[in-house]
Amino acid sequence: MKFSAGDDLVLLIRSMDKTERRYFKLYSGAHQGRESTSYLRLFDHLQEADKWDESELERVFPNAGFLRQLNVARTALQVQIIDTLRAYRQGKTFQLDFSRRLDEIELLMQRKLYSAAGRAIGSARRRAAKLELPVQEFEIIKWEMRLERQLPSKDKQESLHQLHARQLELLQCLERETLLLHGVDEMVALLTEKNLADSDRRARMMQICNDARLPADDRVLLFDSKILFHYMMAYRGIALDHPEGYFDHHEAMIDIWETFPDRIRLEEDRYYKLLAGHAESCIEAKRYASIPKALGKLQRLMLRTAVLDASESARILHIELRYLFETKQWDLAFGVQMSVASLLDQHFESVALPLKTGLISNSLLVCFMCEQWRLVIHWGRRLPADVFHIADGSIPHLIYITRWLAWYQLGDLDAIERELSHPSTRQIRLELPEMILQLKLLLAAVSEAAEQAALQILLSQSISPPASKLLDQLLKTWARGILFSKRLTTIDVEGAD
């Protein structure tokens, strides 16, 4: 989908959190004076806008001077926002940090303040070396060479020779990083290529890994190259059908990050994505022992950073909820679903539909397992209407049927009857006719004996596809719980979706 320059500005403003927007208004007032008033009016309007609409702007601001040169005003506002965000995030990303340092060095060199420039160059170069940033160190060395040429020194040639040698080392580091990045991109493309036989995919991935130009291990590599090397080895584990190798290399990447706490502080988003992806992969592979450690790091990151948005916080809660559900830690999972409810109350529209559906369905199932019937109904009502557009048909099945069972527990049989006859349930009636028949038998039961007979029928039959194994197990557990008055803590989620 293509966006206009005006739409880009709207999206930029919508990406700002409350603190950044407040900082923008303060920064604009301090640096732009009276001119900022027009921009702030435009900014306030675009905060609430869905898209860039010039006719709407003419209606809202009929006599505004900026309408005569709207494109100029739009560009000026965008530049002002970017300047504000740069100032707000100063020192919070290494790109901005070194951009400021290089500006400072250039200014001092232009004024021939060589002593101060030398101190700034030394500080910047030590910082680049500590963070293992070859591009930034290369740029700083160029300024150090300029400074060396300006100063009288007996050892000038020797100093320049050492700086040239270091530049060549950095170029070699960048060459290795480029080769690794190219290899990782090729392997990702192969993994996502659908029209390729598995044997051909494995053969081509192994061919990439065996490239003689690539390093055999990570000992000679800098930070980013080490991360790329282990990504490549993780994909190699996939190619060889060796999942242990895949997880070992993911854990090696996390360990590398842990040895560079300054890089974590400056690149929290990258670190978050690695941790979240690793935790989700562990859940899919049922490597539950590895999950608490990754979850602990994710939770600490969520508490201390403002970088994570609502969707990323929701992703962490979803990982935690899935882990606790699949390991049957119901009490802890019930506490997490309360956090989910709080997050969705504030940011419902900000969370993507698949993630929102996962949070709601897992929260509903946790409440079902804890016999919180009214909360089951509450979560079922929160699910977006377009849930049926999700490929996995078992999700709406779980939502509807657990709600019906909760209503049954509460004695509200009329609610089930109303929903069974509603057009919105037509698809589930077509896909699960046996299940609907069994529910109707329950509703028709006029005595305890008839209810027990209906439950026995439910226990004796399996639900046919596309419903999930989890749904079948959940219903049978529920039926047994009524028949034998047991708490619903015996569900077997092995192989569940």
Side-chain angles (χ1 to χ4, degrees):
M1 182 178 180
K2 290 186 177 181
F3 295 99
S4 67
D7 291 329
D8 289 339
L9 175 59
V10 173
L11 291 172
L12 174 62
I13 293 172
R14 287 170 60 182
S15 74
M16 299 167 70
D17 60 33
K18 290 180 180 178
T19 308
E20 290 170 336
R21 292 179 185 185
R22 180 175 178 275
Y23 187 83
F24 169 76
K25 292 180 180 182
L26 293 172
Y27 186 90
S28 298
H31 290 79
Q32 299 294 328
R34 286 183 297 178
E35 186 183 355
S36 69
T37 305
S38 298
Y39 292 142
L40 288 176
R41 290 171 63 202
L42 182 57
F43 178 85
D44 288 337
H45 172 75
L46 294 178
Q47 281 187 90
E48 309 300 328
D50 293 325
K51 62 179 182 178
W52 178 264
D53 188 337
E54 294 188 5
S55 59
E56 178 68 9
L57 290 173
E58 291 171 357
R59 186 188 69 79
V60 175
F61 307 108
N63 300 315
F66 63 77
L67 289 176
R68 291 192 293 272
Q69 291 182 304
L70 193 54
N71 287 342
V72 174
R74 183 202 67 230
T75 303
L77 177 58
Q78 182 157 338
V79 168
Q80 195 171 329
I81 291 172
I82 295 295
D83 286 345
T84 302
L85 293 175
R86 282 175 61 87
Y88 179 76
R89 301 194 67 196
Q90 189 67 56
K92 297 179 182 178
T93 72
F94 68 78
Q95 290 93 343
L96 290 176
D97 183 25
F98 281 95
S99 175
R100 178 192 62 77
R101 288 172 182 266
L102 288 169
D103 286 346
E104 178 186 346
I105 291 167
E106 183 174 11
L107 185 147
L108 293 170
M109 289 288 289
Q110 287 175 347
R111 292 173 179 268
K112 297 181 172 57
L113 299 172
Y114 298 133
S115 176
R119 282 194 293 273
I121 288 170
S123 173
R125 188 174 170 193
R126 285 191 297 273
R127 180 71 169 160
K130 182 182 178 181
L131 294 176
E132 296 192 356
L133 298 168
V135 173
Q136 284 73 19
E137 187 178 353
F138 190 91
E139 288 297 316
I140 293 163
I141 287 175
K142 288 199 295 187
W143 281 107
E144 189 170 357
M145 292 167 77
R146 290 186 192 180
L147 178 63
E148 195 68 39
R149 295 186 188 104
Q150 296 296 325
L151 298 176
S153 172
K154 294 180 181 180
D155 301 323
K156 182 180 295 188
Q157 282 304 113
E158 179 61 26
S159 297
L160 288 172
H161 176 75
Q162 291 177 3
L163 292 172
H164 279 298
R166 180 56 182 163
Q167 279 192 321
L168 290 174
E169 289 176 12
L170 292 170
L171 287 173
Q172 290 176 345
C173 292
L174 290 169
E175 183 181 8
R176 284 193 291 265
E177 184 177 327
T178 302
L179 288 170
L180 286 164
L181 182 59
H182 180 65
V184 169
D185 285 341
E186 282 193 313
M187 294 183 87
V188 170
L190 287 170
L191 285 170
T192 55
E193 176 59 57
K194 295 180 180 179
N195 301 319
L196 191 64
D198 288 342
S199 58
D200 293 338
R201 182 181 288 108
R202 281 194 294 270
R204 288 172 63 179
M205 289 177 76
M206 289 306 299
Q207 185 179 4
I208 294 168
C209 288
N210 294 332
D211 189 336
R213 297 173 299 169
L214 295 175
D217 55 52
D218 69 354
R219 285 178 294 180
V220 298
L221 302 177
L222 297 182
F223 176 85
D224 285 311
S225 296
K226 284 182 180 179
I227 296 295
L228 289 169
F229 173 81
H230 286 287
Y231 264 122
M232 180 172 283
M233 292 299 103
Y235 293 138
R236 183 175 181 269
I238 295 175
L240 294 175
D241 196 21
H242 181 48
E244 289 300 319
Y246 173 84
F247 288 105
D248 288 346
H249 285 287
H250 262 266
E251 288 168 3
M253 283 187 273
I254 294 171
D255 290 341
I256 292 167
W257 273 98
E258 294 292 325
T259 61
F260 286 84
D262 285 348
R263 289 291 292 252
I264 293 176
R265 186 177 63 82
L266 294 170
E267 298 183 272
E268 288 172 330
D269 187 54
R270 278 182 68 193
Y271 181 59
Y272 154 79
K273 288 177 181 176
L274 173 64
L275 280 176
H278 176 64
E280 288 169 341
S281 297
C282 286
I283 291 174
E284 296 297 333
K286 303 192 183 302
R287 290 172 56 98
Y288 298 128
S290 303
I291 297 171
K293 184 178 178 182
L295 262 177
K297 293 174 181 176
L298 280 168
Q299 289 162 347
R300 288 193 295 274
L301 190 64
M302 185 167 63
L303 288 172
R304 74 169 184 255
T305 181
V307 173
L308 303 185
D309 61 18
S311 288
E312 290 161 339
S313 298
R315 186 180 177 187
I316 296 173
L317 287 173
H318 188 226
I319 292 167
E320 187 175 7
L321 197 59
R322 283 187 63 192
Y323 164 66
L324 294 172
F325 181 83
E326 295 197 15
T327 54
K328 307 178 186 179
Q329 300 181 57
W330 309 122
D331 290 341
L332 292 174
F334 187 76
V336 174
Q337 69 83 30
M338 294 173 68
S339 299
V340 171
S342 176
L343 183 139
L344 291 180
D345 284 342
Q346 299 176 57
H347 305 288
F348 191 83
E349 296 301 327
S350 303
V351 181
L353 177 62
L355 179 56
K356 187 158 44 188
T357 301
L359 283 168
I360 292 174
S361 57
N362 278 287
S363 296
L364 180 147
L365 291 172
V366 165
C367 292
F368 189 92
M369 300 309 296
C370 294
E371 299 182 7
Q372 299 293 323
W373 309 118
R374 295 192 185 280
L375 283 176
V376 171
I377 294 165
H378 165 76
W379 280 115
R381 286 174 175 156
R382 294 197 73 167
L383 201 72
D386 47 0
V387 65
F388 276 107
H389 295 168
I390 297 174
D392 183 5
S394 66
I395 291 177
H397 298 158
L398 282 167
I399 300 302
Y400 274 117
I401 291 174
T402 47
R403 279 175 62 196
W404 294 339
L405 299 183
W407 272 324
Y408 188 84
Q409 291 290 136
L410 294 170
D412 192 354
L413 306 186
D414 291 341
I416 307 176
E417 290 282 13
R418 284 195 302 272
E419 199 159 82
L420 278 172
S421 59
H422 196 273
S424 65
T425 61
R426 180 177 180 275
Q427 184 167 344
I428 196 170
R429 293 200 303 271
L430 292 173
E431 292 179 349
L432 296 178
E434 301 95 340
M435 181 67 250
I436 302 303
L437 177 61
Q438 290 162 20
L439 278 171
K440 287 185 175 179
L441 284 171
L442 275 175
L443 295 178
V446 293
S447 67
E448 185 177 339
E451 181 187 49
Q452 289 196 6
L455 291 168
Q456 291 290 357
I457 293 172
L458 183 64
L459 287 169
S460 66
Q461 297 185 10
S462 295
I463 300 172
S464 58
S468 70
K469 182 181 177 183
L470 175 58
L471 177 55
D472 195 35
Q473 293 168 345
L474 185 144
L475 286 164
K476 286 179 169 50
T477 303
W478 176 82
R480 292 191 194 99
I482 294 179
L483 283 172
F484 305 111
S485 301
K486 292 182 179 178
R487 275 187 58 80
L488 302 176
T489 56
T490 58
I491 187 169
D492 174 18
V493 296
E494 187 69 30
D497 292 344

